[in-house]
Amino acid sequence: MRELWSGNEATARGIYEAGVKVGSSYPGTPSTEIFENLEHYDDVYSEWAVNEKVALEVAYGASIGGVRAVTAMKHVGLNVAADPLFTASYNGVNAGFVVITADDPSMHSSQNEQDNRHYAVAAKIPMFEPSDSQDSLDMIKEAFNVSETFDTPVLFRTTTRICHSKSIVEPGEKQDVPVVPYEKKAAKYVTTPANSYARRPLVEQRMRDLAEYAETSRFNIVEMNDTKVGVITSGIAYVYAKEVFPEDTSFLKLGFTYPMPEKLIRDFASKVDTLYVIEELDPFIENFVRTLGIDCIGKDKVPVMYELNPERLREALFGEKAKFNALPEKVVARPPALCPGCPHRGLFVTLKKYKKAIVAGDIGCYTLGAAPPLESIDCLVCMGGGFTLAHGLAKAIEMSGQEDRVIFGLVGDSTFFHSGMTGAAEIIYNKSENGVKVVPIVLDNNITAMTGQQENPGTGHRMKGEIASVVPIEKILEAIGFAKVLVVDPQDLKATKAACDEAIESDEPTAIVTRRPCVLIKRIKHERRRCIVDRENCRKCKMCLKVGCPAVFFKDGKSFIDQTLCVGCTVCMQACPFDVISLAKEATV
Amino acid sequence: MSDVKSIVLIGVGGQGTILVSKILTHALMEHGYDVKMSEVHGMAQRGGSVSTQVRFGKKVHSPLIGEGTADVLVAFEKMEAARGLPQLKEDGILIANDYEIVPLPVAAGRLEYPDQILEALNEKVKVISFDAAGTAEALGQVRAMNVVLLGALVEALNLTELDVRKSVAELVPPAYRDVNLKAFDAGRQLAKEHLHA
């Protein structure tokens, strides 16, 4: 049986074949489809956790409990989960435990481009790096064996191009892995300073043992050909290098990249006249090679930034570039936009009315509130940062004497559970008396939308569709200390403006929840309406265009609404000062 | 020199570029080729530019190509043809749908949709262009324009050894099987006429 699978599909299959019983993840591009595929394997309990730290802890708990367990996240997710990872390294495992990090070179869907291979070094844990889908399947299985043999969490580092590229895979059989009976081992699993102190040398010994394993791992492969040129490489860079170097080039393909196989590298390097180290992003392998006193060609030529491809590599190494026609100047970009009917649009249209506002945003579809024509977001850094950036901004603005300012902090529903709740508590706990007002707003669209519609604690459903109890956002805010929590439909512009005004003017801490489900949620039956323009009476003021809806344009100098795209949310209708937009009479479902 | 062929499909989210890639890779794999496919998309699928790359041959290493290396560029929308142009070899073939989807900055009146795109492209590379939407609509299903383009691609690459019709029949929804098969044949015919014109 041969399948054309993405790296993520193959990874999910490998997890299943490895006999894994528990998986916990938080969605994030490019890792999301690993668990979206894993959920179809009934033998594996899999769940969306509230954040990456929680996911890693859940999976680690399952490992301590005696079953093979896995967690997956995007690269920045591992920053969130780093705390338990670094200490799980000391404790070791009971059953196999693998942490998947999916890095995003070129930042296709990310806020930075960090190279998470450095985490393996910092946390002192072994690491695998697949180069394609078959590698993904085979290596994740071996990762669980390594975890159990060496009593360690294992890092499985993949990248966007491996996650989202399809290549031919031959799946194997599911391994039957017995549960390891749980026994209390407090000295191993309770990380008091004394216990950790005692385990510290075991970590060093383990890394020495793993360095031995690296020498003979079946994933560190020598392809010896002509000895003029040798290439050491890993991950996706391997397939690019195979494209670019002549066919008789010798390769050392490292699939197990930490700790690195010193003897294997020395031996390979000694056999070739010129050594290249080809890798995407940082000089991770190269730095090690250089510490061995071995000279090589690497990042002096190969860029440290952005995703590689065969042509970039060819140009960097050999100065050759395929001839091509330049992009014609007139090509217009197709920037991403909030969907027609997106509930977030109404809030951003409203926030734009506050000229003295500073808005701290967050990660999600609502990041698009920063794009023209809405342009309502001033700053944005990471998941859960919306409330806390707002709090810090308020302190600074107070000190600069601009007391007529108001600071809005935004987080989405999934982001609120992820790490926004702690920021809400911070705002209450450290609020200034009579200072600059901070208004936290939860944009609750009842789904984790940006990554493709995953459930979260507010949606009432779990990963596999089971009914779950709803964790109520407004009650949490009340319990934290907000005297008033105003819940509004963001599609009602008047009500949304009134809620913002009330929150700003209130003497007591006030939070807002804008609540309306995402228009893309499949399990909800959405009322489908359409707005139409009375073009004869259109005064061409373009206010309707300011809502930034893909369904609303100007055609022949007047407003026009694309009836195939419009869902009748009425935000443009409410924005029109001349009442020439109305709902079409017949309602269609 | 490697026997590997590289194809780039580019369009606007929702136009069915992924389905065409799936049908093509299915047929290629059934025939015994090594195949790799890469999806390239940014933050938004809705209304954004979407492209996939398909590579096949005896042994394919990279799923991804760089500028100036695609043998064929299939554009599902005419401005996307211009956007994808740098991917194409100088002597490559551009198959372009003479079809316009207005991007948001144009809709909002901030920028203008470029005119005479296909004419300009025709001066730079070999272009096979036709109204795939019109062809599909005449067959009774405008959404089958993607499979019209697939037919043209198969003809342009002269992939006579593949049973692509079988893959179309297997991978499109049963209710739309017949119209898609007709769309596929129509696309082949359109390309044939262009190639021998």
Side-chain angles (χ1 to χ4, degrees):
Chain A
M1 189 70 174
R2 293 156 84 239
E3 305 280 357
L4 190 66
W5 273 347
S6 70
N8 283 348
E9 287 172 284
T11 301
R13 173 72 193 194
I15 291 166
Y16 161 77
E17 287 182 15
V20 170
K21 292 208 167 51
V22 172
S24 183
S25 173
Y26 186 79
T29 312
S31 72
T32 312
E33 300 83 8
I34 297 171
F35 269 66
E36 287 191 330
N37 282 285
L38 193 60
E39 74 175 74
H40 301 305
Y41 293 100
D42 289 338
D43 301 4
V44 186
Y45 165 80
S46 53
E47 60 166 40
W48 293 125
V50 300
N51 69 31
E52 295 87 352
K53 175 178 182 286
V54 169
L56 191 145
E57 289 158 350
V58 169
Y60 185 49
S63 159
I64 295 173
V67 298
R68 286 190 165 186
V70 68
T71 182
M73 56 202 71
K74 68 182 294 169
H75 59 320
V76 288
L78 196 55
N79 300 337
V80 178
D83 189 359
L85 178 68
F86 278 58
T87 303
S89 165
Y90 283 31
N91 295 1
V93 304
N94 187 17
F97 172 50
V98 176
V99 177
I100 301 171
T101 170
D103 297 4
D104 189 18
S106 273
M107 300 156 277
H108 295 283
S109 300
S110 302
Q111 62 269 49
N112 77 25
E113 189 178 53
Q114 68 191 46
D115 186 334
N116 273 9
R117 294 180 297 176
H118 299 295
Y119 268 113
V121 182
K124 295 179 181 282
I125 54 173
M127 171 169 61
F128 285 89
E129 277 187 77
S131 292
D132 62 13
S133 299
Q134 186 71 55
D135 269 0
S136 298
L137 190 152
D138 295 340
M139 283 185 189
I140 195 109
K141 287 161 75 177
E142 176 69 355
F144 284 96
N145 295 334
V146 165
S147 172
E148 287 167 1
T149 307
F150 296 92
D151 192 12
T152 178
V154 176
L155 189 64
F156 183 87
R157 189 260 189 173
T158 178
T159 54
T160 302
R161 200 55 58 181
I162 294 159
C163 294
H164 289 169
S165 292
K166 298 195 177 205
S167 57
I168 295 173
V169 177
E170 289 194 32
E173 297 295 316
K174 180 177 183 273
Q175 259 175 281
D176 210 10
V177 182
V179 173
V180 185
Y182 174 75
E183 281 174 58
K184 183 167 177 171
K185 291 181 185 167
K188 177 165 160 61
Y189 294 117
V190 180
T191 56
T192 56
N195 285 341
S196 296
Y197 193 92
R199 288 196 66 83
R200 183 71 186 82
L202 301 181
V203 175
E204 294 305 313
Q205 182 57 46
R206 177 181 79 204
M207 296 318 281
R208 284 192 290 273
D209 295 344
L210 281 160
E212 282 303 309
Y213 163 86
E215 301 290 351
T216 56
S217 170
R218 69 187 166 99
F219 294 108
N220 290 337
I221 302 162
V222 178
E223 300 169 17
M224 211 65 210
N225 290 305
D226 190 88
T227 56
K228 275 208 257 335
V229 175
V231 177
I232 304 178
T233 180
S234 73
I236 194 71
Y238 167 73
V239 297
Y240 300 153
K242 290 291 278 187
E243 271 312 312
V244 167
F245 283 89
E247 258 186 53
D248 62 355
T249 305
S250 294
F251 275 85
L252 171 56
K253 175 184 184 256
L254 297 179
F256 182 81
T257 46
Y258 195 76
M260 264 178 269
E262 182 181 332
K263 277 178 259 168
L264 199 61
I265 289 171
R266 282 191 191 281
D267 185 57
F268 181 78
S270 72
K271 286 180 183 158
V272 298
D273 301 338
T274 307
L275 182 70
Y276 287 84
V277 177
I278 305 296
E279 53 195 325
E280 198 168 64
L281 301 186
D282 292 343
F284 182 81
I285 299 170
E286 181 179 341
N287 285 350
F288 179 76
V289 168
R290 290 192 188 281
T291 61
L292 300 179
I294 298 169
D295 194 25
C296 62
I297 300 167
K299 291 295 168 186
D300 46 340
K301 293 203 164 171
V302 182
V304 292
M305 281 192 298
Y306 307 144
E307 190 172 41
L308 294 176
N309 65 43
E311 292 319 297
R312 276 194 89 202
L313 192 56
R314 202 186 313 275
E315 190 183 5
L317 292 174
F318 310 122
E320 297 165 8
K321 195 165 168 57
K323 284 188 183 159
F324 66 94
N325 287 292
L327 184 71
E329 279 168 25
K330 288 180 192 159
V331 174
V332 180
R334 294 186 190 272
L338 295 173
C339 301
C342 174
H344 301 323
R345 178 170 287 108
L347 177 66
F348 289 117
V349 168
T350 304
L351 290 179
K352 209 170 177 184
K353 295 190 197 303
Y354 294 92
K355 302 296 172 206
K356 289 280 183 181
I358 300 175
V359 180
D362 212 302
I363 308 282
C365 289
Y366 52 101
T367 300
L368 293 170
L374 297 167
E375 295 170 306
S376 307
I377 294 175
D378 288 81
C379 56
L380 165 73
V381 63
C382 67
M383 287 287 294
F387 287 176
T388 32
L389 285 180
H391 180 70
L393 271 162
K395 296 293 176 201
I397 299 298
E398 267 165 43
M399 288 173 193
S400 61
Q402 303 174 61
E403 268 138 32
D404 56 342
R405 289 277 204 172
V406 56
I407 320 287
F408 290 102
L410 315 183
V411 304
D413 50 336
S414 191
T415 317
F416 178 74
F417 295 114
H418 179 283
S419 48
M421 292 192 286
T422 46
E426 166 75 9
I427 288 171
I428 291 293
Y429 175 52
N430 285 317
K431 68 175 183 291
S432 302
E433 299 305 327
N434 307 315
V436 168
K437 192 89 187 179
V438 178
V439 179
I441 304 178
V442 181
L443 292 81
D444 180 8
N445 63 351
N446 215 241
I447 202 80
T448 311
M450 187 80 207
T451 43
Q453 308 281 311
Q454 289 78 31
E455 305 292 348
N456 70 51
T459 68
H461 293 265
R462 287 206 287 261
M463 179 188 271
K464 298 191 184 188
E466 314 95 312
I467 301 295
S469 37
V470 175
V471 182
I473 294 170
E474 56 272 40
K475 284 192 184 163
I476 294 171
L477 289 166
E478 281 165 12
I480 280 173
F482 288 91
K484 274 189 278 186
V485 180
L486 309 170
V487 181
V488 286
D489 176 357
Q491 223 144 277
D492 182 339
L493 298 186
K494 271 198 187 121
T496 306
K497 177 76 166 55
C500 291
D501 286 343
E502 187 180 344
I504 292 166
E505 283 153 21
S506 171
D507 293 332
E508 298 169 308
T510 304
I512 297 172
V513 177
T514 61
R515 177 165 294 149
R516 175 174 273 274
C518 168
V519 284
L520 301 181
I521 299 177
K522 289 210 176 86
R523 58 176 155 70
I524 298 177
K525 197 158 188 189
H526 302 273
E527 189 191 3
R528 186 76 193 262
R529 303 182 297 179
R530 284 173 298 120
C531 288
I532 47 170
V533 185
D534 171 7
R535 284 170 54 89
E536 244 170 62
N537 290 309
C538 171
R539 306 269 286 267
K540 310 174 192 174
C541 70
K542 297 196 174 176
M543 287 304 286
C544 56
L545 295 182
K546 300 235 161 85
V547 307
C549 177
V552 184
F553 4 140
F554 252 49
K555 196 169 169 180
D556 307 323
K558 288 185 173 182
S559 174
F560 177 82
I561 297 173
D562 184 326
Q563 297 296 294
T564 62
L565 293 175
C566 179
V567 298
C569 78
T570 75
V571 168
C572 62
M573 183 174 114
Q574 295 171 65
C576 174
F578 303 107
D579 293 330
V580 301
I581 300 177
S582 59
L583 272 171
K585 288 273 186 304
E586 82 286 17
T588 48
V589 175
Chain B
M1 199 54 201
S2 156
D3 67 325
V4 173
K5 294 274 184 221
S6 305
I7 301 160
V8 175
L9 301 111
I10 188 164
V12 177
Q15 277 197 293
T17 50
I18 303 266
L19 178 64
V20 165
S21 311
K22 270 191 188 152
I23 296 169
L24 178 66
T25 52
H26 182 268
L28 289 163
M29 221 176 108
E30 290 279 298
H31 186 72
Y33 280 118
D34 188 16
V35 184
K36 287 195 173 171
M37 171 185 155
S38 189
E39 291 173 19
V40 187
H41 49 69
M43 286 221 311
Q45 281 99 64
R46 285 209 134 196
S49 179
V50 177
S51 86
T52 64
Q53 304 192 348
V54 175
R55 307 191 72 218
F56 67 95
K58 210 166 142 216
K59 172 73 192 164
V60 181
H61 293 294
S62 173
L64 186 65
I65 60 163
E67 288 166 335
T69 52
D71 295 281
V72 183
L73 171 68
V74 187
F76 288 49
E77 197 271 352
K78 63 185 185 184
M79 192 173 65
E80 295 309 305
R83 196 188 313 284
L85 182 67
Q87 303 278 317
L88 192 60
K89 283 179 180 169
E90 281 198 320
D91 61 351
I93 300 173
L94 167 63
I95 298 171
N97 188 6
D98 190 353
Y99 182 73
E100 185 173 315
I101 299 176
V102 175
L104 195 55
V106 172
R110 293 200 299 275
L111 293 168
E112 278 181 26
Y113 193 98
D115 49 64
Q116 308 287 315
I117 300 173
L118 292 175
E119 290 76 0
L121 292 172
N122 210 8
E123 284 170 20
K124 294 179 176 170
V125 290
K126 183 175 175 60
V127 179
I128 301 174
S129 70
F130 47 80
D131 176 8
T135 304
E137 197 164 21
L139 293 170
Q141 178 52 259
V142 68
R143 293 185 58 81
M145 71 172 110
N146 58 344
V147 177
V148 176
L149 292 160
L150 172 66
L153 168 64
V154 168
E155 189 62 33
L157 273 172
N158 198 24
L159 293 170
T160 48
E161 71 275 27
L162 303 188
D163 193 350
V164 185
R165 288 184 105 251
K166 181 165 165 271
S167 298
V168 171
E170 267 182 50
L171 293 173
V172 302
Y176 299 107
R177 187 175 297 155
D178 290 342
V179 70
N180 275 294
L181 287 171
K182 282 181 196 157
F184 178 75
D185 294 340
R188 287 197 76 154
Q189 191 55 38
L190 281 165
K192 201 174 276 176
E193 285 160 16
H194 269 84
L195 288 164
H196 303 297

